[in-house]
Amino acid sequence: MRLEPVTEDNYRAVIGLEVHEEQRTFVATNLKSIADAWIHRPKLEPLALYSGTDLVGFTLLERDRPRELHIVRFMIDRRAQGRGLGRKGLAAIADVARAEGRTELVLSVVPGNAVARGLYAAFGFADTGEVDGGELVMRHELAPTAHLTGTANG
Ligand SMILES: CC(C)(COP(=O)(O)OP(=O)(O)OC[C@H]1O[C@@H](n2cnc3c(N)ncnc32)[C@H](O)[C@@H]1OP(=O)(O)O)[C@@H](O)C(=O)NCCC(=O)NCCS
C-alpha cells in the first residue's frame, strides 16, 4: 500500500471514490475533505491510497501535536473493501508517523460504525472515553519497530 499526494493527475479519480450508501454518514465525501485540506493547508494533508497501481482509498492527515498523527478521514472505495486494504492502509499511515518520529495515532469514529471500530481495535487502537463531536476518540501507541513493520505493508 502506498500513500501518494493528491495532485492534478489523480484528484478527479480520488473524488470518484465512494463508500457504500449505508456508510455515507460515517465519513465526509472526498470532495469535502479535499476542500477542507485546501482551506487548512498545510496543516491538513490529503493522500490517495494505492494498492499496486490501483487507487483504492483516501485519507486526510492532520499534524497539530508533535507526537501525534491525527487520521481525520479514512476510507476504502466500496469496490475494494473487505480485502484487507483498510488494515494495510492503517499500517502505511503508521509508517508515516514513525518516520516522522511520532509515537501515537489518533482518530475518531461514529459509534455505530462497527466495521471501522473492529478494524481499529484489531489494529491496536483503544477507546479513550473521550467524545468529540459525537464521535468516539481512539488512540494507538506506536511500537518503535519501523524496520519490522515496514516490510509487512505489501
Ligand atoms: C472501515 C473501512 C476503511 C475498512 O476498510 P476494508 O478495506 O474493508 O478493511 P479490511 O478489509 O482491512 O477489513 C477490516 C476488518 O473489517 C471486516 N469487515 C470489512 N468489511 C466488513 C463488512 N462489510 N462487514 C463486516 N465486517 C467487515 C473485515 O473482515 C476485517 O476484519 P478481520 O480482520 O477480523 O477479518 C471501510 O469499510 C470504509 O471505507 N468504510 C466507510 C468509511 C469509514 O467508515 N471510514 C472510517 C471513518 S472513522
Side-chain angles (χ1 to χ4, degrees):
M1 180 73 74
R2 285 179 298 118
L3 303 181
E4 297 283 344
V6 175
T7 65
E8 192 178 347
D9 293 329
N10 67 8
Y11 81 97
R12 290 179 190 80
V14 170
I15 289 168
L17 297 175
E18 55 189 14
V19 297
H20 290 290
E21 200 174 335
E22 63 274 18
Q23 297 173 329
R24 285 189 195 152
T25 53
F26 297 153
V27 70
T29 63
N30 292 346
L31 178 61
K32 164 120 181 358
S33 291
I34 290 170
D36 290 342
W38 191 80
I39 292 295
H40 297 285
R41 64 190 184 283
K43 195 172 78 161
L44 291 182
E45 183 186 26
L47 291 166
L49 307 184
Y50 287 86
S51 175
T53 55
D54 296 338
L55 174 67
V56 296
F58 173 81
T59 190
L60 183 66
L61 303 179
E62 180 171 16
R63 295 167 175 88
D64 49 11
R65 296 198 185 141
R67 284 164 41 86
E68 273 178 24
L69 188 62
H70 181 180
I71 305 173
V72 180
R73 309 271 156 69
F74 181 63
M75 61 83 72
I76 298 292
D77 183 77
R78 62 186 174 84
R79 289 153 288 220
Q81 290 181 17
R83 291 194 231 145
L85 295 172
R87 204 206 67 78
K88 286 183 179 173
L90 290 177
I93 293 167
D95 282 347
V96 167
R98 284 194 195 89
E100 295 174 359
R102 295 173 196 274
T103 55
E104 225 170 13
L105 297 178
V106 59
L107 54 75
S108 65
V109 60
V110 172
N113 192 353
V115 170
R117 288 178 71 183
L119 168 63
Y120 298 146
F123 194 80
F125 282 86
D127 287 316
T128 61
E130 296 160 60
V131 179
D132 181 12
E135 298 194 0
L136 311 175
V137 178
M138 300 181 83
R139 284 179 188 275
H140 175 44
E141 210 166 301
L142 295 168
T145 52
H147 62 293
L148 293 177
T149 57
T151 56
N153 293 331

